[in-house]
Every structure is written in structure tokens, then in C-alpha cells.
Amino acid sequence: IEPDAVERLVRDGPARIHDARRVDAQGAGTFDTVVTNLACLRERGIPFCLVAVVTPQTARDLGAVVRTLYEQQPGFITLVPELHAEWSEQAITDLRLGSADVNELWMGEFRRGRVLCIEPLHGKILTHIYEGIPCPERCTLAGRAFAVAPSGRLYACAQIIGEDIRDDLVIGTVDTGLDRQRLADLQRQKDRVEEICQPCALRTRCQSHCGCRHLALTGDLGHITSIL
């Protein structure tokens, strides 16, 4: 591919993708505004990280998206799948292809001496080295912290709050304190996934322990899908 064609791909692809989903109050795309604001951060020496939400519609273009993020010189890039979306088998195939493009990009930059942390890529490398996700990094509900909703109700994680309408996920209030029995019950619900995933060879390297992902995909802490 000619250099100018690559430049058009990088500019037009990610800009088009971003502006289709991230608009201002007037409905206009915000890609150019974001790029300008990031340039201001770089000029002032202010470090920043970037998060990109990956959808079934953008999965195949992941390589072009990440290259655009690379150009902004972030300290860290996180790629987060849109768990509430409908991930068909074709979308999963597109994600595999897009991820392969990201891998090639990362390895190319690594060989040039530029190492940039991209999650979940780095996490997968580390789980290979450590032969699994270290216990301190595995999800335990309210293991290190819990979240407070505007209503004053307590939840085991900020991602669980949602619209703050699930009474079955509440683990106390700021007035009554933490209900440890309720928390233990939720943890037992979540641990059902560990039993389901027990025979899998990749169990220790998978983030199947994340209850928030199961809630997003199935509405149940202890139910894992083939998509995840």
C-alpha cells in the first residue's frame, strides 16, 4: 500500500468511525476536537491514556483505529469491547482479524524500539509468562473497594450500579453499612462461573472471573456466554 493510501486510511477510517458515534450537542463529529485537545496536552507535557470501545461494526478496523491512537502518543491504550452489543459469529471473526492487525502493529513498533502498553494485549502476554492471572488481579466482589450510588446504596463494583434499580445487587447503604452476608451470597453466585469453566485449558488466563461482564451480557453474575 502506498504511504498516501495508508494516511487516508488512518485519517478517514478512524475519523469516520469516531464521528459516527461521538458527537457534540449539535450532532457534529468530535474527532478533530479530540485530536486538537490531545495536542494541547502533549504541548504542556501532561500524560494521558486513551480508551477505545470496540463494537461489532468497528472490530475489523481495529488496526487502523489503534494506529490513530498510537499517533496521539498516549501513555497507555485500552481496548474495551462493547459488551451490550450483539456479537455474531461474523463479528467475532472480524474481531480476530482486527486483533491480528493490532498484533502486527505492536510487534512492528516493538522492533523499532517503541513499546506502548495496549490492553488486553499486554495482559495476555503477562498471563502467558505467569501461567495465569495472579490472584491479586482476579475479580473478587468488593475485594479492595466498593461503589456508592447517588442514592446512597452500596454496590460491589462501580460497573454493577447501572441505573441503580437492581435491589438484588445492593450490598448495603451509607446509613446501614455493608451487608457482608449479602456480599458473600453474591460472591457465591459469581463463583458458579468457576465451576462451569473448570475443564477449560485457558481458564486461568481468561477474565471469566469478572462478574460485571457476566451481568452486562446475561444479567446474571454466574452465567458466562460463549461470546465472552
Side-chain angles (χ1 to χ4, degrees):
I1 303 177
E2 295 298 323
D4 60 338
V6 174
E7 179 65 19
R8 287 197 301 274
L9 175 64
V10 170
R11 285 189 55 79
D12 297 341
R16 170 179 50 79
I17 292 170
H18 178 98
D19 287 346
R21 295 162 177 81
R22 299 284 188 259
V23 298
D24 59 20
Q26 286 71 45
T30 58
F31 181 84
D32 290 338
T33 301
V34 170
V35 170
T36 298
N37 291 339
L38 292 179
C40 291
L41 293 178
R42 288 195 301 271
E43 291 169 2
R44 290 162 175 77
I46 301 174
F48 59 88
C49 300
L50 296 175
V51 177
V53 177
V54 185
T55 70
Q57 294 74 33
T58 63
R60 184 63 187 88
D61 297 318
L62 202 52
V65 169
V66 171
R67 177 160 298 280
T68 298
L69 300 181
Y70 250 98
E71 291 180 345
Q72 305 310 313
Q73 302 174 36
F76 196 99
I77 293 175
T78 300
L79 305 176
V80 182
E82 173 49 78
L83 295 178
H84 295 280
E86 292 292 332
W87 286 89
S88 64
E89 289 302 322
Q90 181 58 55
I92 292 295
T93 297
D94 290 342
L95 182 60
R96 289 194 180 100
L97 294 171
S99 297
D101 290 343
V102 174
N103 296 342
E104 291 294 332
L105 167 63
W106 185 90
M107 288 189 290
E109 294 295 325
F110 181 86
R111 294 185 180 109
R112 297 183 186 94
R114 184 185 178 199
V115 181
L116 178 62
C117 189
I118 302 177
E119 284 295 352
L121 177 58
H122 271 57
K124 297 304 180 185
I125 294 173
L126 289 175
T127 61
H128 175 70
I129 294 173
Y130 292 128
E131 298 182 344
I133 300 175
C135 287
E137 300 302 322
R138 295 181 69 81
C139 172
T140 54
L141 296 177
R144 301 187 201 176
F146 54 84
V148 183
S151 64
R153 303 209 296 179
L154 306 182
Y155 289 84
C157 177
Q159 296 186 60
I160 295 180
I161 295 177
E163 297 296 325
D164 190 17
I165 58 176
R166 290 280 301 268
D167 294 342
D168 58 319
L169 299 175
V170 175
I171 59 172
T173 72
V174 292
D175 295 320
T176 61
L178 186 65
D179 185 339
R180 296 190 179 277
Q181 182 58 54
R182 181 63 190 144
L183 178 60
D185 292 342
L186 291 178
Q187 185 67 48
R188 279 194 292 272
Q189 290 179 36
K190 187 175 80 68
D191 286 345
R192 291 203 306 268
V193 171
E194 298 296 331
E195 299 172 8
I196 296 169
C197 297
Q198 182 66 39
C200 179
L202 295 177
R203 174 173 172 264
T204 59
R205 298 183 60 197
C206 174
Q207 291 186 335
S208 60
H209 54 83
C210 179
C212 299
R213 299 185 181 205
H214 304 316
L215 278 173
L217 286 166
T218 70
D220 187 341
L221 277 170
H223 184 196
I224 189 169
T225 67
S226 58
I227 295 299
L228 182 56

